[in-house]
Amino acid sequence: MSEKRAKVWLWIGSLLVFAVSLIHLSPLYLLAVNSFKTREELYENVLSLPKSLSFQYYQVAMERMNILTAIMNSFIITVVSTMLIILFSSMTAWVLARHEDRVWAKAIYMTFVATMLIPFQTLMMPLIQFFSQIQQTLGFQIIDTRQGLIFMYIGFGSAMSVFLYHGFVKSIPISLEEAGYIDGASPWTVFWRIVFPMLRPITNTVVILNVIWIWNDYLLPSLVLSSERVKTIPLSTFSFFGQFTIQWNLAMAGLVMTILPVIIFYAVAQRNIIRGIADGAVK
């Protein structure tokens, strides 16, 4: 009797998981299906399949979005920002973790943690005004540049990354570093030859979180970037949303092209993603 109950509950659980999966995948279905429809088909029934499979709306969307430039901008901003976040956050967390008994280390670490609690919406207008003033006074090109946006991403992404690295570094035996110092290694060599390779699981987690966040982010680029030559993919899709009309079929095609690289990234790095998150959670 207990085995039958166990099988019944297993079937019920499987059905619930399947139902929840369908609910989560339904937006992707609507997005993909409606990107092939005409406006008339889309307004008739958003759930139905398209009458014909044509990529003409993707071609129009690519031209309107200036897709190659947008992809290149998003790629450069995402890759450079993530690499610099990893570089600075890992070193910062290592120093803070190895000097956690010092008052200054505790103060700096708590400052990083506290900044995670501040909503970006409360900072965005003062931030833009501050950097606009610096640009006008000192002549540094920060607003409407990729390097300015990368600089801001480093600032906003470092808090969470330092927090994750800090907890992981504390699990690494300090005796390994002491052995390196005894052999004559410098702190720089100890970090890159001994510590950083052992941070690989949490580095995978940090990479995933930051890549998905920066690639899909719309709010910060919309405040910083205005020129067509530096717009990212999320910004370029906004061209389909006019003041009085919305070209939903073109917008759907543009959104599919926007999220497709992230889906491919997740599919390729799935094993590392799961392993990194699991190891990071255990540590």
Side-chain angles (χ1 to χ4, degrees):
M1 190 67 180
S2 59
E3 292 183 3
K4 290 184 178 180
R5 285 185 178 180
K7 290 182 179 179
V8 170
W9 282 111
L10 179 61
W11 276 101
I12 293 175
S14 301
L15 290 175
L16 287 175
V17 171
F18 182 73
V20 172
S21 300
L22 288 180
I23 293 173
H24 282 282
L25 292 174
S26 58
L28 295 177
Y29 167 79
L30 294 174
L31 194 65
V33 166
N34 291 305
S35 64
F36 294 99
K37 294 180 182 179
T38 63
R39 296 184 67 179
E40 291 76 13
E41 288 182 82
L42 194 148
Y43 288 129
E44 285 177 3
N45 188 356
V46 296
L47 297 176
S48 64
L49 295 174
K51 296 179 180 179
S52 61
L53 194 64
S54 175
F55 289 90
Q56 59 176 334
Y57 300 115
Y58 282 87
Q59 295 175 355
V60 176
M62 290 173 65
E63 295 174 1
R64 288 276 298 274
M65 292 171 61
N66 196 4
I67 190 70
L68 294 179
T69 301
I71 288 178
M72 183 58 64
N73 289 330
S74 290
F75 180 79
I76 292 174
I77 291 170
T78 302
V79 171
V80 175
S81 298
T82 303
M83 290 178 62
L84 292 177
I85 288 172
I86 291 172
L87 174 66
F88 295 133
S89 299
S90 59
M91 291 191 295
T92 301
W94 178 58
V95 172
L96 296 178
R98 292 304 183 231
H99 297 84
E100 61 179 348
D101 56 332
R102 307 289 181 86
V103 176
W104 59 266
K106 291 181 179 178
I108 294 174
Y109 177 69
M110 293 308 299
T111 302
F112 275 110
V113 175
T115 57
M116 294 166 54
L117 306 176
I118 303 175
F120 171 73
Q121 289 77 3
T122 63
L123 301 174
M124 59 184 186
M125 295 312 298
L127 176 75
I128 300 304
Q129 292 173 357
F130 174 74
F131 281 114
S132 297
Q133 191 64 36
I134 290 180
Q135 184 167 311
Q136 293 174 4
T137 305
L138 302 178
F140 293 147
Q141 293 296 320
I142 300 175
I143 304 299
D144 201 26
T145 61
R146 289 185 300 213
Q147 58 267 26
L149 183 60
I150 290 171
F151 179 76
M152 295 181 192
Y153 274 133
I154 295 172
F156 285 109
S158 294
M160 176 65 76
S161 301
V162 168
F163 175 74
L164 294 173
Y165 273 121
H166 188 273
F168 201 95
V169 168
K170 291 170 66 174
S171 67
I172 298 177
I174 197 172
S175 58
L176 298 176
E177 301 171 29
E178 293 174 344
Y181 291 130
I182 292 174
D183 291 339
S186 64
W188 182 264
T189 303
V190 167
F191 177 76
W192 289 112
R193 294 291 183 89
I194 299 175
V195 177
F196 190 75
M198 300 183 70
L199 298 177
R200 182 178 177 181
I202 199 64
T203 298
N204 291 336
T205 304
V206 172
V207 168
I208 295 153
L209 294 175
N210 284 288
V211 165
I212 295 176
W213 162 52
I214 296 173
W215 183 273
N216 293 325
D217 187 33
Y218 173 82
L219 185 54
L220 185 56
S222 68
L223 297 171
V224 178
L225 307 177
S226 58
S227 302
E228 291 293 331
R229 60 182 178 81
V230 291
K231 282 188 175 181
T232 59
I233 288 185
L235 282 183
S236 61
T237 58
F238 191 72
S239 61
F240 305 117
F241 298 89
Q243 184 177 1
F244 302 104
T245 182
I246 300 176
Q247 297 173 296
W248 283 111
N249 49 353
L250 296 179
M252 296 288 185
L255 290 172
V256 169
M257 291 185 289
T258 300
I259 66 174
L260 191 60
V262 177
I263 295 176
I264 295 174
F265 168 75
Y266 182 85
V268 172
Q270 184 177 6
R271 290 185 179 180
N272 290 329
I273 290 172
I274 297 173
R275 185 186 308 146
I277 293 176
D279 292 345
V282 172
K283 295 293 184 180

